[in-house]
Short mmCIF file of all heavy atoms in Angstrom, two decimals:
data_model
loop_
_atom_site.label_atom_id
_atom_site.label_comp_id
_atom_site.label_asym_id
_atom_site.label_seq_id
_atom_site.Cartn_x
_atom_site.Cartn_y
_atom_site.Cartn_z
N SER T 109 -96.96 -68.24 77.68
CA SER T 109 -96.74 -69.03 76.47
C SER T 109 -97.54 -70.34 76.46
O SER T 109 -97.69 -70.96 75.42
CB SER T 109 -95.24 -69.33 76.32
OG SER T 109 -94.82 -70.16 77.38
N VAL T 110 -98.04 -70.77 77.64
CA VAL T 110 -98.80 -72.02 77.65
C VAL T 110 -100.30 -71.79 77.77
O VAL T 110 -101.09 -72.72 77.77
CB VAL T 110 -98.35 -72.97 78.78
CG1 VAL T 110 -96.90 -73.35 78.63
CG2 VAL T 110 -98.62 -72.37 80.14
N MET T 111 -100.71 -70.50 77.87
CA MET T 111 -102.10 -70.21 78.18
C MET T 111 -103.08 -70.69 77.09
O MET T 111 -104.15 -71.19 77.39
CB MET T 111 -102.28 -68.70 78.42
CG MET T 111 -101.94 -68.30 79.83
SD MET T 111 -102.86 -69.34 81.00
CE MET T 111 -101.94 -69.10 82.49
N GLU T 112 -102.63 -70.56 75.86
CA GLU T 112 -103.49 -70.98 74.75
C GLU T 112 -103.75 -72.49 74.83
O GLU T 112 -104.88 -72.96 74.75
CB GLU T 112 -102.81 -70.63 73.43
CG GLU T 112 -103.78 -70.49 72.28
CD GLU T 112 -103.04 -70.16 70.99
OE1 GLU T 112 -102.11 -69.30 71.05
OE2 GLU T 112 -103.35 -70.78 69.96
N HIS T 113 -102.66 -73.21 75.04
CA HIS T 113 -102.76 -74.67 75.16
C HIS T 113 -103.59 -75.05 76.38
O HIS T 113 -104.39 -76.00 76.36
CB HIS T 113 -101.34 -75.25 75.26
CG HIS T 113 -101.31 -76.74 75.29
ND1 HIS T 113 -101.86 -77.51 74.29
CD2 HIS T 113 -100.79 -77.61 76.20
CE1 HIS T 113 -101.68 -78.79 74.58
NE2 HIS T 113 -101.04 -78.88 75.74
N PHE T 114 -103.41 -74.27 77.45
CA PHE T 114 -104.15 -74.50 78.68
C PHE T 114 -105.66 -74.38 78.42
O PHE T 114 -106.44 -75.25 78.83
CB PHE T 114 -103.68 -73.48 79.74
CG PHE T 114 -104.37 -73.58 81.07
CD1 PHE T 114 -104.77 -74.82 81.60
CD2 PHE T 114 -104.63 -72.44 81.83
CE1 PHE T 114 -105.40 -74.90 82.83
CE2 PHE T 114 -105.26 -72.51 83.05
CZ PHE T 114 -105.65 -73.75 83.55
N ASP T 115 -106.05 -73.31 77.74
CA ASP T 115 -107.47 -73.12 77.42
C ASP T 115 -108.01 -74.26 76.58
O ASP T 115 -109.12 -74.76 76.80
CB ASP T 115 -107.68 -71.79 76.69
CG ASP T 115 -107.51 -70.59 77.62
OD1 ASP T 115 -107.72 -70.79 78.84
OD2 ASP T 115 -107.15 -69.50 77.16
N PHE T 116 -107.20 -74.69 75.64
CA PHE T 116 -107.57 -75.82 74.78
C PHE T 116 -107.82 -77.08 75.63
O PHE T 116 -108.83 -77.76 75.49
CB PHE T 116 -106.46 -76.04 73.75
CG PHE T 116 -106.52 -77.37 73.08
CD1 PHE T 116 -107.50 -77.64 72.10
CD2 PHE T 116 -105.61 -78.37 73.40
CE1 PHE T 116 -107.55 -78.87 71.48
CE2 PHE T 116 -105.66 -79.62 72.78
CZ PHE T 116 -106.63 -79.86 71.82
N LEU T 117 -106.88 -77.34 76.55
CA LEU T 117 -107.00 -78.53 77.39
C LEU T 117 -108.22 -78.46 78.30
O LEU T 117 -108.92 -79.45 78.51
CB LEU T 117 -105.74 -78.71 78.24
CG LEU T 117 -104.46 -79.13 77.51
CD1 LEU T 117 -103.27 -79.09 78.44
CD2 LEU T 117 -104.61 -80.52 76.90
N LYS T 118 -108.45 -77.26 78.83
CA LYS T 118 -109.60 -77.09 79.73
C LYS T 118 -110.90 -77.44 79.00
O LYS T 118 -111.76 -78.12 79.54
CB LYS T 118 -109.66 -75.64 80.23
CG LYS T 118 -108.86 -75.41 81.49
CD LYS T 118 -109.22 -74.08 82.15
CE LYS T 118 -108.87 -72.93 81.23
NZ LYS T 118 -109.05 -71.62 81.88
N LYS T 119 -110.98 -76.94 77.78
CA LYS T 119 -112.19 -77.23 77.00
C LYS T 119 -112.27 -78.72 76.69
O LYS T 119 -113.32 -79.34 76.80
CB LYS T 119 -112.16 -76.42 75.70
CG LYS T 119 -112.64 -75.01 75.92
CD LYS T 119 -113.01 -74.34 74.60
CE LYS T 119 -113.06 -72.84 74.78
NZ LYS T 119 -111.75 -72.20 74.53
N LEU T 120 -111.13 -79.27 76.35
CA LEU T 120 -111.07 -80.68 75.97
C LEU T 120 -111.57 -81.58 77.11
O LEU T 120 -112.35 -82.49 76.89
CB LEU T 120 -109.63 -81.02 75.60
CG LEU T 120 -109.38 -82.39 74.98
CD1 LEU T 120 -110.04 -82.47 73.59
CD2 LEU T 120 -107.89 -82.66 74.86
N VAL T 121 -111.09 -81.32 78.31
CA VAL T 121 -111.47 -82.21 79.43
C VAL T 121 -112.70 -81.69 80.17
O VAL T 121 -113.14 -82.29 81.14
CB VAL T 121 -110.32 -82.43 80.44
CG1 VAL T 121 -109.05 -82.88 79.74
CG2 VAL T 121 -110.04 -81.16 81.25
N GLU T 122 -113.20 -80.52 79.69
CA GLU T 122 -114.36 -79.90 80.32
C GLU T 122 -114.11 -79.58 81.79
O GLU T 122 -114.85 -79.98 82.68
CB GLU T 122 -115.61 -80.77 80.15
CG GLU T 122 -116.01 -80.86 78.69
CD GLU T 122 -117.14 -81.86 78.46
OE1 GLU T 122 -117.72 -82.35 79.45
OE2 GLU T 122 -117.41 -82.18 77.29
N LEU T 123 -113.01 -78.90 82.01
CA LEU T 123 -112.67 -78.46 83.37
C LEU T 123 -113.19 -77.03 83.53
O LEU T 123 -112.81 -76.13 82.78
CB LEU T 123 -111.15 -78.50 83.59
CG LEU T 123 -110.66 -78.17 85.00
CD1 LEU T 123 -110.97 -79.30 85.96
CD2 LEU T 123 -109.16 -77.89 85.00
N ASP T 124 -114.07 -76.87 84.50
CA ASP T 124 -114.71 -75.58 84.73
C ASP T 124 -113.69 -74.51 85.14
O ASP T 124 -112.84 -74.75 85.99
CB ASP T 124 -115.74 -75.78 85.86
CG ASP T 124 -116.73 -74.64 85.91
OD1 ASP T 124 -116.43 -73.57 85.32
OD2 ASP T 124 -117.78 -74.82 86.55
N ASP T 125 -113.79 -73.31 84.52
CA ASP T 125 -112.89 -72.19 84.85
C ASP T 125 -112.92 -71.84 86.33
O ASP T 125 -111.91 -71.47 86.93
CB ASP T 125 -113.26 -70.94 84.06
CG ASP T 125 -112.77 -71.01 82.62
OD1 ASP T 125 -111.96 -71.93 82.35
OD2 ASP T 125 -113.17 -70.17 81.80
N ALA T 126 -114.11 -71.97 86.92
CA ALA T 126 -114.30 -71.57 88.31
C ALA T 126 -113.44 -72.42 89.27
O ALA T 126 -113.19 -72.03 90.40
CB ALA T 126 -115.75 -71.67 88.70
N LEU T 127 -113.02 -73.57 88.79
CA LEU T 127 -112.27 -74.47 89.68
C LEU T 127 -110.82 -74.05 89.84
O LEU T 127 -110.14 -74.47 90.77
CB LEU T 127 -112.32 -75.90 89.13
CG LEU T 127 -113.69 -76.55 89.06
CD1 LEU T 127 -113.57 -77.96 88.48
CD2 LEU T 127 -114.34 -76.61 90.43
N GLU T 128 -110.35 -73.19 88.93
CA GLU T 128 -108.91 -72.84 88.94
C GLU T 128 -108.44 -72.28 90.26
O GLU T 128 -107.33 -72.55 90.70
CB GLU T 128 -108.65 -71.80 87.84
CG GLU T 128 -108.56 -72.43 86.47
CD GLU T 128 -108.37 -71.36 85.40
OE1 GLU T 128 -107.80 -70.30 85.72
OE2 GLU T 128 -108.82 -71.60 84.27
#
Side-chain angles (χ1 to χ4, degrees):
Chain T
S109 66
V110 299
M111 277 307 162
E112 203 181 317
H113 184 57
F114 179 36
D115 287 335
F116 163 74
L117 290 172
K118 271 194 297 187
K119 279 197 198 89
L120 189 67
V121 307
E122 294 173 9
L123 184 73
D124 196 343
D125 282 349
L127 297 179
E128 281 177 29

